[in-house]
Amino acid sequence: MSERAIGTGTVEDRRRRRILADHRARLAIEEGMQRCRFWFAGIAIVQLLLYEADRPWVSAANAAALVLVWLAVRWAVRRGPTIAGVRRLGWAAMAADTLIIAVAMVNLLRDPTDPVQMLPVIVACEAALRWGRFGGLGGGLLAGVMAAAWSVAAHRTADVSLPSAFVTFRVAVMVGVGVLLGSVMSAAVRERRRAETISDASSDLIATFGFDGQVRSVNPACEAILGYRPEELIGIDRADLIVEEDRPGGPPDVEGLRREQSRREELRFVHRDGHHVWLEVDLQVDVDERLVCAIGRDVSERRRTEAELRRRADHDDLTGVANRSQLVARLARDLDDGRDVHLLFVDLDGFKAVNDAHGHRAGDVVLQEVAGRIRAVGEPEDLVARLAGDEFCVLLAPPSDDARARRRAADIETALARPYDVGDTVVVGASVGWAASCIDDRPADLLERADLAMYAAKRARRRAATA
């Protein structure tokens, strides 16, 4: 049964995760044994060179067989065998190693003290590593029988007596080694399976990366959070997933993590489809394994909520421009910084008639259009704000001067004089006054002078209209 053939569903999904965790553990065991088998092959070659065997060609064949088994298992492991394939691979490798060890022992019977008698320990260890306590018991019995049989045969060949207690002790030692190692391995596999099952079931993204920044492992939650399958992320640099502005420079700050023990950061990650995802990431360093463990929670919704709350706190809901609070705060900051500030005050003429004749919905449409037109004729850095009702302000971005303020006031009056479409066509004028900051001005002082200038402009318009 392949990994992808395992069923889905809530209960079935938990079962699938347990099976996959066990599969990864068994595959990791085979990968670890590969390293051991490599050294066993080297030892066999050394033994061939240093010890005289009954049949040297058999020793040479044994060394070659160990190398061939190592190559075959290495090739099978790298192909990523299925769950059933790993089991079959374990049995085949175990049988091959047992046969090779048995032949090597039969070929060295001249000296009862020959260290070849210790080779059956490998059989006990392999069985314990693959199948835990019960494997250690079975492997220990098999190893004990092999070691005992060799001792009996070697002592008879050398015509030396062998106490039965020696044979019994050898079997007991092999069984003890197998059971002890199997018990430890069973506990380790259970802990790993439990940890991987919890990791796989978590809705948080759990990943590890090395001190070089390369991702070593990642749980399935990454697909729901970032859109990537786990196998797509293994081996890439973790910085490649982070938005460039938030990206850390260079490898992980291991020394900082060592001092702090842990760290929490909020970073923007790039989803597979290109949008940004906010993650709250807890970092823990494992110095012994040279790994950093990262647990990331998707806080994008919280960030959006906070951004919306901030927007509502300093923006006008109807028009989307700044509100009075943001305008006053910006004025206070610019005045405190000693900048030359120019503020325009805009008041609509005839707006009440629109509400009375066409309703408040039409009035809202006009206000939204007014805000858009004011922004359109200004600079992107200008701050446009709605104070209340049909009153707007424009804080010119620095550097500003009187000539620029006059031009902007004229441009706004021209833009707002154009007709508005609210189902019917309506015309709304605007009076614009402006004021420049003085030494020791407060926001209220500048607002008051701009307001007075607006009323002066309004009176001038009325006089011109009646003249």
Side-chain angles (χ1 to χ4, degrees), residues 115-434:
V116 75
Q117 62 187 301
M118 298 305 298
L119 283 179
V121 173
I122 297 173
V123 175
C125 292
E126 281 199 37
L129 291 173
R130 286 193 176 95
W131 300 297
R133 184 183 298 109
F134 295 107
L137 176 60
L141 286 172
L142 176 59
V145 170
M146 292 174 66
W150 182 88
S151 293
V152 172
H155 280 76
R156 285 182 179 178
T157 300
D159 195 21
V160 178
S161 62
L162 175 66
S164 58
F166 183 82
V167 176
T168 304
F169 178 75
R170 178 157 296 194
V171 173
V173 168
M174 293 293 181
V175 172
V177 169
V179 172
L180 177 62
L181 182 59
S183 298
V184 173
M185 194 63 195
S186 294
V189 170
R190 281 197 304 271
E191 287 301 317
R192 173 170 179 161
R193 187 185 298 120
R194 184 180 298 114
E196 290 199 8
T197 301
I198 293 172
S199 173
D200 288 354
S202 175
S203 59
D204 293 338
L205 189 152
I206 302 175
T208 60
F209 52 88
F211 286 0
D212 58 359
Q214 286 194 345
V215 177
R216 303 293 177 81
S217 68
V218 63
N219 70 335
C222 70
E223 187 165 5
I225 295 175
L226 296 178
Y228 294 94
R229 295 190 303 275
E231 58 269 21
E232 294 179 291
L233 300 182
I234 303 301
I236 72 170
D237 194 307
R238 94 289 185 210
D240 293 341
L241 298 171
I242 302 174
V243 174
E244 188 171 357
E245 292 82 357
D246 298 350
R247 190 174 298 171
D253 180 16
V254 177
E255 291 303 319
L257 287 169
R258 280 175 175 168
R259 291 192 302 269
E260 301 169 15
Q261 300 299 314
S262 64
R263 181 183 298 170
R264 175 170 292 181
E265 301 175 343
E266 287 196 8
L267 302 169
R268 289 174 296 170
F269 286 73
V270 182
H271 193 276
R272 187 173 187 172
D273 64 14
H275 75 268
H276 295 172
V277 178
W278 276 100
L279 292 185
E280 182 183 71
V281 183
D282 287 317
L283 299 173
Q284 297 278 349
V285 64
D286 187 333
V287 178
D288 294 334
E289 295 295 329
R290 297 184 61 79
L291 288 174
V292 178
C293 179
I295 302 176
R297 290 166 292 280
D298 188 350
V299 294
S300 301
E301 186 60 35
R302 189 192 76 193
R303 279 281 186 163
R304 284 191 291 269
T305 300
E306 291 174 350
E308 178 61 19
L309 290 174
R310 285 194 299 270
R311 192 195 68 79
R312 291 184 179 183
D314 54 20
H315 284 77
D316 177 59
D317 286 338
L318 177 63
T319 61
V321 298
N323 60 13
R324 186 185 189 95
S325 297
Q326 185 181 172
L327 174 66
V328 171
R330 175 76 172 272
L331 279 172
R333 187 182 67 192
D334 288 356
L335 291 171
D336 288 343
D337 290 343
R339 295 176 179 172
D340 291 330
V341 178
H342 287 76
L343 180 69
L344 281 65
F345 201 110
V346 182
D347 184 76
L348 301 183
D349 298 327
F351 177 72
K352 184 176 182 299
V354 175
N355 278 336
D356 293 342
H358 302 280
H360 287 283
R361 178 167 296 187
D364 290 345
V365 171
V366 170
L367 290 174
Q368 291 168 343
E369 180 68 20
V370 165
R373 292 184 187 184
I374 294 175
R375 283 188 291 196
V377 299
E379 301 293 334
E381 295 80 11
D382 293 345
L383 179 67
V384 179
R386 181 188 176 201
L387 292 187
D390 60 350
E391 294 178 337
F392 292 81
C393 279
V394 180
L395 176 61
L396 299 184
S400 60
D401 53 36
D402 294 353
R404 183 181 169 202
R406 279 192 292 268
R407 288 195 303 271
R408 188 59 44 79
D411 292 342
I412 291 174
E413 288 183 352
T414 302
L416 299 187
R418 297 196 305 269
Y420 298 83
D421 183 7
V422 295
D424 293 328
T425 300
V426 299
V427 176
V428 175
S431 298
V432 183
W434 61 272

Side-chain angles (χ1 to χ4, degrees), residues 96-116:
D97 289 343
T98 303
L99 178 61
I100 291 170
I101 289 171
V103 172
M105 296 176 72
V106 171
N107 194 41
L108 291 165
L109 292 173
R110 293 182 180 182
D111 183 1
T113 63
D114 196 304
V116 75

